[in-house]
Amino acid sequence: MSAYVIFIRDETLNDSEMATYAQKAGEARGDHPINPLAFYGALETLEGPQAEGVVVLEFPDIDAAKGWYYSPAYQEAKEHRLKGANYRVLLVQGVTA
């Protein structure tokens, strides 16, 4: 069953750190089965706090999503994201059709 990692960027703190994060996160993709469904596209907040940007990544299942998120390469990239912006990151399991 598909799983989704959702990044919600609330506030950018350091553009330089975010540039480093973008480069390292791209490299961290490696051979992980990631399907980007939304990537900082046009955003309209209908309810709740405003967000600067949203990314939705699809994975084949929860284990694949966690395999990517907890990989050494992504954890290295994450250090720069934490310095560069305030984010909420969610992992949600999809539904069967």
Side-chain angles (χ1 to χ4, degrees):
M1 186 175 316
S2 293
Y4 304 89
V5 175
I6 303 164
F7 289 88
I8 303 168
R9 186 176 65 214
D10 292 317
E11 178 185 17
T12 300
L13 305 171
N14 184 310
D15 289 329
S16 176
E17 288 289 345
M18 289 307 296
T20 301
Y21 168 70
Q23 179 217 342
K24 289 186 176 291
E27 294 168 358
R29 180 176 184 150
D31 60 356
H32 295 279
I34 303 172
N35 181 26
L37 299 178
F39 202 82
Y40 297 115
L43 172 65
E44 179 180 353
T45 301
L46 299 177
E47 293 185 26
Q50 295 291 322
E52 285 184 359
V54 174
V55 172
V56 179
L57 304 176
E58 180 183 37
F59 293 84
D61 55 38
I62 293 279
D63 289 339
K66 287 182 176 180
W68 166 77
Y69 182 82
Y70 291 113
S71 70
Y74 184 72
Q75 290 300 298
E76 181 182 339
K78 177 183 157 186
E79 292 178 20
H80 297 279
R81 178 175 55 79
L82 294 174
K83 294 175 189 174
N86 293 327
Y87 271 83
R88 289 174 274 160
V89 182
L90 310 168
L91 172 59
V92 61
Q93 186 169 334
V95 297
T96 57

Coordinates of all heavy atoms in Angstrom, one line a residue:
M1 N 0.8 -1.2 0.0 CA 0.0 0.0 0.0 C 0.9 1.2 0.0 O 1.8 1.3 0.8 CB -0.9 -0.1 1.3 CG -1.9 1.0 1.3 SD -3.0 0.9 2.7 CE -3.4 -0.8 2.8
S2 N 0.6 2.2 -0.9 CA 1.4 3.4 -1.0 C 1.5 4.2 0.3 O 0.6 4.0 1.2 CB 0.8 4.3 -2.0 OG 0.9 3.8 -3.3
A3 N 2.6 4.9 0.5 CA 2.8 5.8 1.6 C 3.3 7.1 1.1 O 3.9 7.2 0.0 CB 3.8 5.2 2.6
Y4 N 3.0 8.2 1.8 CA 3.3 9.5 1.4 C 4.1 10.2 2.5 O 3.7 10.2 3.7 CB 2.0 10.3 1.1 CG 1.2 9.6 0.1 CD1 0.3 8.6 0.4 CD2 1.5 9.8 -1.3 CE1 -0.4 7.9 -0.5 CE2 0.8 9.0 -2.3 CZ -0.2 8.1 -1.9 OH -0.9 7.4 -2.8
V5 N 5.2 10.9 2.1 CA 5.9 11.8 3.0 C 5.5 13.2 2.6 O 5.6 13.6 1.4 CB 7.4 11.6 3.0 CG1 8.1 12.6 3.8 CG2 7.8 10.2 3.4
I6 N 5.0 14.0 3.5 CA 4.6 15.3 3.2 C 5.4 16.3 4.0 O 5.5 16.2 5.2 CB 3.1 15.5 3.6 CG1 2.2 14.5 2.9 CG2 2.6 16.9 3.3 CD1 0.9 14.3 3.4
F7 N 6.1 17.2 3.3 CA 6.9 18.3 3.9 C 6.1 19.6 3.8 O 5.6 20.0 2.7 CB 8.2 18.5 3.1 CG 9.2 17.4 3.3 CD1 9.1 16.3 2.5 CD2 10.1 17.4 4.3 CE1 10.1 15.3 2.6 CE2 11.1 16.4 4.4 CZ 11.0 15.3 3.6
I8 N 5.9 20.3 4.9 CA 5.2 21.6 5.0 C 6.2 22.6 5.5 O 6.6 22.5 6.6 CB 4.0 21.5 5.8 CG1 3.0 20.5 5.4 CG2 3.3 22.9 5.9 CD1 1.9 20.2 6.3
R9 N 6.7 23.5 4.6 CA 7.6 24.5 5.0 C 6.9 25.7 5.6 O 6.1 26.3 4.9 CB 8.5 24.9 3.9 CG 9.6 25.9 4.3 CD 10.6 26.2 3.2 NE 9.9 27.0 2.2 CZ 10.1 26.9 0.9 NH1 11.1 26.1 0.4 NH2 9.4 27.6 0.0
D10 N 7.1 26.0 6.8 CA 6.4 27.1 7.5 C 7.1 28.4 7.4 O 6.5 29.4 7.2 CB 6.2 26.7 9.0 CG 5.2 25.6 9.2 OD1 4.2 25.6 8.5 OD2 5.5 24.7 10.1
E11 N 8.5 28.3 7.5 CA 9.2 29.6 7.5 C 10.7 29.3 7.1 O 11.3 28.5 7.7 CB 9.2 30.3 8.8 CG 10.0 31.5 8.9 CD 10.0 32.1 10.4 OE1 9.7 31.4 11.3 OE2 10.3 33.3 10.5
T12 N 11.2 30.0 6.1 CA 12.6 29.9 5.7 C 13.4 30.8 6.7 O 13.1 31.9 7.0 CB 12.8 30.3 4.3 OG1 12.1 29.5 3.4 CG2 14.3 30.3 3.9
L13 N 14.5 30.2 7.2 CA 15.4 30.9 8.1 C 16.7 31.3 7.5 O 17.3 32.3 7.9 CB 15.6 30.0 9.4 CG 14.4 29.5 10.1 CD1 14.8 28.5 11.1 CD2 13.6 30.7 10.7
N14 N 17.2 30.4 6.6 CA 18.6 30.6 6.0 C 18.6 30.0 4.6 O 18.6 28.8 4.4 CB 19.6 29.9 6.9 CG 21.0 30.1 6.5 OD1 21.3 29.9 5.3 ND2 21.9 30.5 7.4
D15 N 18.6 30.9 3.6 CA 18.6 30.5 2.2 C 19.8 29.7 1.8 O 19.7 28.7 1.0 CB 18.5 31.7 1.3 CG 17.1 32.4 1.3 OD1 16.1 31.7 1.6 OD2 17.0 33.6 1.1
S16 N 20.9 30.0 2.4 CA 22.2 29.2 2.0 C 22.0 27.8 2.5 O 22.4 26.8 1.8 CB 23.4 29.9 2.7 OG 24.5 29.1 2.4
E17 N 21.5 27.6 3.7 CA 21.3 26.2 4.2 C 20.3 25.5 3.4 O 20.4 24.3 3.1 CB 20.9 26.2 5.7 CG 22.0 26.6 6.7 CD 23.1 25.6 6.8 OE1 22.9 24.4 6.4 OE2 24.1 25.9 7.4
M18 N 19.3 26.2 3.0 CA 18.3 25.5 2.1 C 18.8 25.1 0.8 O 18.4 24.1 0.2 CB 17.0 26.4 2.0 CG 16.2 26.6 3.2 SD 15.7 25.0 4.0 CE 14.7 24.3 2.7
A19 N 19.7 25.9 0.2 CA 20.3 25.6 -1.1 C 21.2 24.3 -0.9 O 21.2 23.4 -1.7 CB 21.2 26.7 -1.6
T20 N 21.9 24.2 0.2 CA 22.7 23.0 0.5 C 21.8 21.8 0.7 O 22.0 20.7 0.2 CB 23.6 23.2 1.7 OG1 24.5 24.4 1.5 CG2 24.4 22.0 2.1
Y21 N 20.7 22.0 1.4 CA 19.7 21.0 1.6 C 19.2 20.5 0.3 O 19.1 19.2 0.1 CB 18.6 21.4 2.5 CG 17.4 20.5 2.5 CD1 17.5 19.2 3.1 CD2 16.2 20.8 1.9 CE1 16.5 18.3 3.1 CE2 15.2 19.9 1.9 CZ 15.3 18.7 2.5 OH 14.2 17.8 2.5
A22 N 18.8 21.4 -0.6 CA 18.2 21.0 -1.9 C 19.2 20.1 -2.6 O 18.8 19.1 -3.2 CB 17.9 22.2 -2.7
Q23 N 20.5 20.5 -2.7 CA 21.5 19.7 -3.4 C 21.6 18.3 -2.7 O 21.6 17.3 -3.4 CB 22.8 20.4 -3.4 CG 23.9 19.6 -4.1 CD 25.2 19.8 -3.4 OE1 25.5 20.7 -2.7 NE2 26.1 18.8 -3.7
K24 N 21.8 18.3 -1.4 CA 22.0 17.0 -0.7 C 20.8 16.1 -0.7 O 20.9 14.9 -0.8 CB 22.5 17.3 0.7 CG 23.9 17.8 0.7 CD 24.4 17.9 2.2 CE 25.9 18.4 2.2 NZ 26.8 17.4 1.7
A25 N 19.6 16.7 -0.6 CA 18.4 15.9 -0.6 C 18.2 15.3 -2.0 O 17.8 14.1 -2.1 CB 17.2 16.8 -0.3
G26 N 18.5 16.0 -3.1 CA 18.4 15.4 -4.4 C 19.4 14.3 -4.6 O 19.0 13.2 -5.2
E27 N 20.6 14.4 -4.0 CA 21.5 13.3 -4.1 C 21.1 12.1 -3.3 O 21.4 11.0 -3.6 CB 22.9 13.8 -3.6 CG 23.5 14.8 -4.6 CD 24.8 15.5 -4.0 OE1 25.1 15.2 -2.8 OE2 25.3 16.4 -4.7
A28 N 20.3 12.4 -2.2 CA 19.9 11.3 -1.3 C 18.8 10.4 -1.9 O 18.5 9.4 -1.4 CB 19.4 11.9 0.0
R29 N 18.3 10.9 -3.0 CA 17.3 10.0 -3.7 C 17.8 8.7 -4.0 O 17.2 7.7 -3.8 CB 16.7 10.7 -4.9 CG 15.7 9.9 -5.6 CD 15.1 10.6 -6.8 NE 14.1 9.8 -7.4 CZ 13.0 10.3 -8.0 NH1 12.9 11.6 -8.1 NH2 12.1 9.4 -8.5
G30 N 19.1 8.6 -4.5 CA 19.7 7.4 -4.8 C 18.8 6.5 -5.6 O 18.2 6.9 -6.6
D31 N 18.7 5.2 -5.2 CA 17.8 4.3 -5.9 C 16.5 4.1 -5.1 O 15.8 3.1 -5.4 CB 18.5 3.0 -6.1 CG 19.0 2.3 -4.8 OD1 18.8 2.8 -3.8 OD2 19.5 1.1 -4.9
H32 N 16.2 5.0 -4.2 CA 14.9 4.9 -3.5 C 13.8 5.1 -4.5 O 13.8 6.0 -5.3 CB 14.9 5.8 -2.3 CG 15.9 5.5 -1.3 ND1 15.7 4.6 -0.3 CD2 17.1 6.1 -1.0 CE1 16.7 4.5 0.5 NE2 17.6 5.4 0.1
P33 N 12.7 4.4 -4.3 CA 11.5 4.5 -5.3 C 10.6 5.7 -4.9 O 9.6 5.5 -4.3 CB 10.8 3.2 -5.1 CG 11.1 2.8 -3.7 CD 12.5 3.3 -3.4
I34 N 11.0 6.9 -5.2 CA 10.3 8.1 -4.9 C 9.6 8.6 -6.1 O 10.1 8.8 -7.2 CB 11.3 9.2 -4.4 CG1 12.1 8.7 -3.2 CG2 10.5 10.5 -4.0 CD1 13.2 9.7 -2.7
N35 N 8.3 8.9 -5.9 CA 7.5 9.6 -7.0 C 7.0 10.9 -6.4 O 6.1 10.9 -5.6 CB 6.3 8.7 -7.4 CG 5.5 9.3 -8.5 OD1 5.9 10.0 -9.3 ND2 4.2 8.9 -8.5
P36 N 7.6 12.0 -6.9 CA 7.1 13.3 -6.4 C 5.7 13.7 -7.0 O 5.6 13.7 -8.2 CB 8.2 14.3 -6.9 CG 9.0 13.6 -7.9 CD 8.7 12.1 -7.8
L37 N 4.8 13.9 -6.1 CA 3.4 14.3 -6.6 C 3.2 15.8 -6.6 O 2.4 16.3 -7.3 CB 2.4 13.5 -5.7 CG 2.4 12.0 -5.7 CD1 1.4 11.4 -4.8 CD2 2.2 11.5 -7.2
A38 N 3.8 16.5 -5.6 CA 3.7 17.9 -5.5 C 5.1 18.4 -5.1 O 5.7 17.8 -4.2 CB 2.6 18.4 -4.6
F39 N 5.6 19.5 -5.7 CA 6.9 20.0 -5.3 C 6.9 21.5 -5.4 O 7.2 22.1 -6.4 CB 8.0 19.4 -6.3 CG 9.3 19.4 -5.7 CD1 9.8 18.4 -4.8 CD2 10.2 20.4 -6.0 CE1 11.0 18.4 -4.3 CE2 11.5 20.4 -5.5 CZ 11.9 19.4 -4.6
Y40 N 6.5 22.1 -4.2 CA 6.5 23.6 -4.1 C 5.8 24.3 -5.2 O 6.2 25.3 -5.7 CB 8.0 24.1 -4.0 CG 8.7 23.6 -2.8 CD1 9.8 22.8 -2.9 CD2 8.3 24.0 -1.5 CE1 10.5 22.4 -1.8 CE2 8.9 23.5 -0.4 CZ 10.1 22.7 -0.6 OH 10.7 22.2 0.5
G41 N 4.6 23.7 -5.6 CA 3.8 24.3 -6.6 C 2.9 25.4 -6.0 O 3.1 25.8 -4.8
A42 N 2.0 26.0 -6.8 CA 1.1 27.0 -6.3 C 0.4 26.5 -5.1 O 0.0 25.3 -5.1 CB 0.1 27.4 -7.4
L43 N 0.2 27.3 -4.1 CA -0.3 26.9 -2.8 C -1.3 27.8 -2.3 O -1.1 29.0 -2.3 CB 0.9 26.8 -1.8 CG 0.5 26.5 -0.4 CD1 -0.1 25.1 -0.2 CD2 1.8 26.7 0.5
E44 N -2.5 27.3 -1.9 CA -3.5 28.1 -1.3 C -3.9 27.4 0.0 O -4.3 26.2 0.0 CB -4.7 28.2 -2.2 CG -5.9 29.0 -1.7 CD -7.1 29.1 -2.6 OE1 -7.0 28.6 -3.8 OE2 -8.1 29.6 -2.2
T45 N -3.8 28.1 1.1 CA -4.2 27.6 2.4 C -5.7 27.8 2.6 O -6.2 28.9 2.6 CB -3.4 28.3 3.5 OG1 -2.1 28.1 3.3 CG2 -3.8 27.7 4.9
L46 N -6.4 26.7 2.7 CA -7.9 26.8 2.9 C -8.3 26.8 4.4 O -9.3 27.4 4.7 CB -8.6 25.6 2.2 CG -8.3 25.5 0.7 CD1 -9.0 24.2 0.1 CD2 -8.8 26.7 0.0
E47 N -7.5 26.1 5.2 CA -7.7 26.1 6.7 C -6.4 26.0 7.4 O -5.4 25.5 6.8 CB -8.6 25.0 7.1 CG -10.0 25.0 6.6 CD -10.8 23.9 7.1 OE1 -10.5 23.4 8.2 OE2 -11.8 23.5 6.5
G48 N -6.3 26.5 8.6 CA -5.1 26.4 9.4 C -4.0 27.4 9.1 O -4.3 28.3 8.3
P49 N -2.8 27.2 9.6 CA -1.8 28.2 9.4 C -1.2 28.2 8.0 O -1.3 27.2 7.3 CB -0.7 27.7 10.4 CG -1.0 26.3 10.8 CD -2.4 26.1 10.5
Q50 N -0.8 29.4 7.6 CA -0.2 29.5 6.3 C 1.1 28.7 6.2 O 1.7 28.5 7.2 CB 0.1 31.0 6.0 CG -1.1 31.9 5.9 CD -1.9 31.7 4.7 OE1 -1.4 31.4 3.6 NE2 -3.2 31.7 4.8
A51 N 1.4 28.3 5.0 CA 2.6 27.6 4.7 C 3.4 28.2 3.5 O 2.7 28.8 2.7 CB 2.4 26.1 4.4
E52 N 4.7 28.2 3.6 CA 5.5 28.7 2.4 C 5.5 27.8 1.3 O 5.6 28.2 0.1 CB 6.9 29.0 2.9 CG 7.1 30.2 3.7 CD 8.5 30.5 4.0 OE1 9.4 29.8 3.6 OE2 8.8 31.5 4.7
G53 N 5.5 26.5 1.6 CA 5.6 25.5 0.5 C 5.3 24.1 1.0 O 5.4 23.8 2.2
V54 N 4.9 23.2 0.0 CA 4.6 21.9 0.3 C 5.2 20.9 -0.7 O 5.2 21.2 -1.9 CB 3.0 21.7 0.4 CG1 2.6 20.2 0.5 CG2 2.4 22.5 1.4
V55 N 5.7 19.8 -0.2 CA 6.2 18.7 -1.1 C 5.4 17.4 -0.7 O 5.3 17.2 0.5 CB 7.7 18.5 -0.9 CG1 8.2 17.3 -1.6 CG2 8.4 19.8 -1.4
V56 N 5.0 16.7 -1.6 CA 4.3 15.4 -1.4 C 5.1 14.3 -2.2 O 5.2 14.4 -3.4 CB 2.8 15.4 -1.8 CG1 2.2 14.0 -1.5 CG2 2.1 16.5 -1.0
L57 N 5.7 13.4 -1.5 CA 6.4 12.3 -2.1 C 5.7 11.0 -1.9 O 5.3 10.6 -0.8 CB 7.9 12.2 -1.5 CG 8.7 13.5 -1.5 CD1 10.0 13.2 -0.8 CD2 8.9 13.9 -3.0
E58 N 5.5 10.2 -3.0 CA 4.9 8.9 -2.9 C 5.9 7.8 -2.9 O 6.9 7.8 -3.6 CB 4.0 8.7 -4.1 CG 3.2 7.4 -4.1 CD 2.4 7.2 -5.3 OE1 2.8 7.6 -6.4 OE2 1.3 6.6 -5.1
F59 N 5.7 6.8 -2.0 CA 6.6 5.6 -1.9 C 5.7 4.4 -2.1 O 4.5 4.5 -1.8 CB 7.3 5.6 -0.6 CG 8.3 6.7 -0.4 CD1 7.9 8.0 0.0 CD2 9.6 6.5 -0.7 CE1 8.8 9.0 0.1 CE2 10.5 7.5 -0.5 CZ 10.1 8.8 -0.1
P60 N 6.3 3.2 -2.4 CA 5.4 2.0 -2.6 C 4.8 1.6 -1.3 O 3.7 1.0 -1.3 CB 6.4 1.0 -3.1 CG 7.6 1.7 -3.5 CD 7.6 3.0 -2.9
D61 N 5.5 1.9 -0.1 CA 4.9 1.5 1.2 C 5.7 2.2 2.3 O 6.6 2.9 2.0 CB 5.0 -0.1 1.4 CG 6.4 -0.6 1.2 OD1 7.4 0.1 1.6 OD2 6.5 -1.7 0.6
I62 N 5.2 2.0 3.5 CA 5.8 2.7 4.7 C 7.3 2.4 4.8 O 8.1 3.2 5.1 CB 5.0 2.3 6.0 CG1 3.6 2.9 5.9 CG2 5.8 2.7 7.2 CD1 3.4 4.3 6.3
D63 N 7.6 1.1 4.6 CA 9.0 0.7 4.8 C 9.9 1.4 3.8 O 11.0 1.8 4.2 CB 9.2 -0.8 4.7 CG 8.6 -1.6 5.9 OD1 8.4 -1.0 6.9 OD2 8.2 -2.8 5.7
A64 N 9.5 1.5 2.6 CA 10.3 2.2 1.6 C 10.4 3.7 1.9 O 11.5 4.3 1.8 CB 9.6 2.1 0.2
A65 N 9.4 4.3 2.4 CA 9.5 5.7 2.9 C 10.4 5.9 4.0 O 11.3 6.8 4.0 CB 8.1 6.3 3.2
K66 N 10.3 5.0 5.0 CA 11.2 5.1 6.1 C 12.7 4.8 5.7 O 13.6 5.4 6.3 CB 10.8 4.2 7.3 CG 9.6 4.7 8.0 CD 9.2 3.7 9.1 CE 8.0 4.2 9.9 NZ 7.7 3.3 11.0
G67 N 12.8 3.8 4.8 CA 14.2 3.5 4.3 C 14.9 4.7 3.7 O 16.1 4.9 3.9
W68 N 14.1 5.5 3.0 CA 14.7 6.8 2.4 C 14.9 7.8 3.5 O 16.0 8.3 3.6 CB 13.7 7.3 1.3 CG 14.1 8.7 1.0 CD1 15.1 9.1 0.2 CD2 13.5 9.9 1.4 NE1 15.2 10.5 0.1 CE2 14.2 11.0 0.9 CE3 12.4 10.2 2.2 CZ2 13.8 12.3 1.1 CZ3 12.0 11.5 2.5 CH2 12.7 12.5 1.9
Y69 N 13.9 8.1 4.3 CA 14.0 9.1 5.3 C 15.1 8.9 6.3 O 15.9 9.8 6.7 CB 12.7 9.2 6.1 CG 12.7 10.4 7.1 CD1 12.5 11.7 6.7 CD2 13.0 10.1 8.4 CE1 12.5 12.7 7.7 CE2 13.0 11.1 9.4 CZ 12.8 12.4 9.0 OH 12.9 13.4 9.9
Y70 N 15.3 7.6 6.7 CA 16.3 7.3 7.7 C 17.7 6.9 7.1 O 18.6 6.6 7.8 CB 15.8 6.2 8.7 CG 14.7 6.7 9.6 CD1 13.4 6.2 9.4 CD2 15.0 7.7 10.5 CE1 12.4 6.6 10.3 CE2 14.0 8.1 11.4 CZ 12.7 7.6 11.2 OH 11.7 8.1 12.0
S71 N 17.8 7.0 5.8 CA 19.0 6.7 5.1 C 20.1 7.7 5.6 O 19.8 8.9 5.8 CB 18.9 6.7 3.6 OG 18.7 8.0 3.2
P72 N 21.4 7.2 5.6 CA 22.4 8.2 6.0 C 22.5 9.4 5.1 O 22.7 10.5 5.6 CB 23.7 7.3 5.9 CG 23.2 5.9 6.1 CD 21.9 5.9 5.5
A73 N 22.3 9.2 3.8 CA 22.3 10.3 2.9 C 21.3 11.4 3.2 O 21.5 12.6 3.2 CB 22.2 9.8 1.4
Y74 N 20.0 10.9 3.4 CA 19.0 11.9 3.7 C 19.2 12.5 5.1 O 18.9 13.7 5.3 CB 17.5 11.4 3.6 CG 16.6 12.5 3.8 CD1 16.4 13.5 2.9 CD2 16.0 12.7 5.0 CE1 15.7 14.6 3.1 CE2 15.2 13.8 5.3 CZ 15.1 14.8 4.3 OH 14.3 15.9 4.6
Q75 N 19.6 11.8 6.1 CA 19.9 12.3 7.4 C 20.9 13.4 7.3 O 20.8 14.4 8.1 CB 20.3 11.2 8.4 CG 19.1 10.3 8.7 CD 17.9 11.1 9.4 OE1 18.1 11.7 10.4 NE2 16.8 11.1 8.7
E76 N 21.9 13.3 6.5 CA 22.9 14.3 6.3 C 22.3 15.6 5.7 O 22.6 16.7 6.1 CB 24.1 13.8 5.4 CG 25.2 14.9 5.2 CD 26.3 14.4 4.2 OE1 26.4 13.2 4.1 OE2 26.9 15.3 3.7
A77 N 21.4 15.4 4.7 CA 20.7 16.5 4.1 C 19.8 17.2 5.1 O 19.7 18.4 5.2 CB 19.9 16.0 2.9
K78 N 19.1 16.4 5.9 CA 18.2 16.9 6.9 C 18.8 17.9 7.8 O 18.2 18.9 8.3 CB 17.6 15.7 7.7 CG 16.6 16.1 8.8 CD 16.2 14.9 9.5 CE 15.7 15.2 10.9 NZ 15.4 14.0 11.7
E79 N 20.1 17.7 8.2 CA 20.8 18.6 9.1 C 20.7 20.1 8.5 O 20.6 21.0 9.3 CB 22.2 18.2 9.3 CG 22.4 16.9 10.0 CD 23.9 16.5 10.2 OE1 24.8 17.4 10.0 OE2 24.1 15.3 10.4
H80 N 20.8 20.2 7.2 CA 20.8 21.5 6.6 C 19.3 22.1 6.5 O 19.1 23.3 6.7 CB 21.4 21.5 5.2 CG 22.9 21.1 5.3 ND1 23.8 22.1 5.6 CD2 23.5 19.9 5.1 CE1 25.0 21.5 5.6 NE2 24.8 20.2 5.3
R81 N 18.4 21.2 6.3 CA 17.0 21.6 6.3 C 16.6 22.2 7.7 O 15.9 23.2 7.8 CB 16.0 20.4 6.0 CG 14.6 20.8 6.0 CD 13.7 19.7 5.5 NE 13.8 18.5 6.2 CZ 13.3 18.2 7.4 NH1 12.6 19.1 8.1 NH2 13.4 17.0 7.9
L82 N 17.0 21.5 8.8 CA 16.7 22.0 10.1 C 17.3 23.3 10.4 O 16.7 24.1 11.2 CB 17.2 20.9 11.1 CG 16.5 19.6 11.1 CD1 17.1 18.6 12.1 CD2 15.0 19.7 11.4
K83 N 18.5 23.6 9.8 CA 19.1 25.0 10.0 C 18.5 26.0 9.1 O 18.5 27.2 9.3 CB 20.6 24.9 9.7 CG 21.4 24.0 10.7 CD 22.8 23.9 10.3 CE 23.6 22.9 11.1 NZ 25.0 22.7 10.6
G84 N 17.9 25.5 8.0 CA 17.4 26.4 6.9 C 16.0 26.8 7.0 O 15.6 27.9 6.5
A85 N 15.1 26.0 7.7 CA 13.7 26.4 7.7 C 13.0 25.6 8.8 O 13.5 24.6 9.2 CB 13.1 26.1 6.3
N86 N 11.8 26.1 9.1 CA 10.9 25.4 10.0 C 10.0 24.6 9.2 O 9.3 25.1 8.3 CB 10.2 26.3 10.9 CG 11.0 27.0 11.9 OD1 12.0 26.5 12.4 ND2 10.7 28.3 12.2
Y87 N 9.9 23.3 9.4 CA 9.1 22.3 8.6 C 8.3 21.5 9.5 O 8.6 21.2 10.7 CB 10.0 21.4 7.8 CG 10.4 21.8 6.5 CD1 11.5 22.6 6.3 CD2 9.7 21.4 5.3 CE1 11.9 23.0 5.0 CE2 10.1 21.7 4.1 CZ 11.2 22.6 3.9 OH 11.6 22.9 2.7
R88 N 7.2 21.0 9.0 CA 6.4 19.9 9.6 C 6.6 18.8 8.6 O 6.5 19.0 7.4 CB 4.9 20.2 9.7 CG 4.7 21.2 10.8 CD 3.3 21.6 10.9 NE 3.1 22.8 9.9 CZ 2.0 23.2 9.4 NH1 0.8 22.5 9.7 NH2 1.9 24.2 8.6
V89 N 6.9 17.5 9.0 CA 7.1 16.4 8.1 C 6.2 15.3 8.6 O 6.2 14.9 9.8 CB 8.6 15.9 8.1 CG1 8.7 14.8 7.1 CG2 9.5 17.1 7.7
L90 N 5.4 14.8 7.7 CA 4.4 13.8 8.0 C 4.6 12.5 7.2 O 5.0 12.6 6.0 CB 2.9 14.3 7.8 CG 2.6 15.6 8.4 CD1 1.3 16.1 7.8 CD2 2.5 15.5 9.9
L91 N 4.3 11.4 7.7 CA 4.3 10.1 7.0 C 2.9 9.5 7.1 O 2.4 9.3 8.2 CB 5.4 9.2 7.5 CG 5.4 7.7 7.0 CD1 5.6 7.7 5.5 CD2 6.4 6.9 7.7
V92 N 2.2 9.3 6.0 CA 0.9 8.8 6.0 C 0.7 7.6 5.1 O 1.3 7.7 4.0 CB -0.1 9.9 5.7 CG1 0.0 10.5 4.4 CG2 -1.6 9.4 5.9
Q93 N 0.0 6.6 5.5 CA -0.2 5.5 4.7 C -1.4 5.7 3.8 O -2.4 6.3 4.2 CB -0.5 4.2 5.5 CG -0.6 2.9 4.7 CD -0.6 1.7 5.6 OE1 -0.1 1.8 6.7 NE2 -1.2 0.7 5.2
G94 N -1.3 5.3 2.5 CA -2.4 5.5 1.6 C -3.5 4.5 1.8 O -3.5 3.7 2.7
V95 N -4.6 4.6 1.0 CA -5.7 3.7 1.1 C -5.7 2.7 -0.1 O -5.2 3.0 -1.1 CB -7.0 4.4 1.3 CG1 -7.1 5.3 2.5 CG2 -7.3 5.3 0.0
T96 N -6.4 1.6 0.1 CA -6.5 0.7 -1.0 C -7.8 1.1 -1.8 O -8.7 1.6 -1.2 CB -6.7 -0.8 -0.5 OG1 -7.8 -0.9 0.4 CG2 -5.4 -1.2 0.1
A97 N -7.7 0.9 -3.1 CA -8.8 1.3 -3.9 C -10.0 0.4 -3.8 O -9.9 -0.8 -3.6 CB -8.4 1.5 -5.4

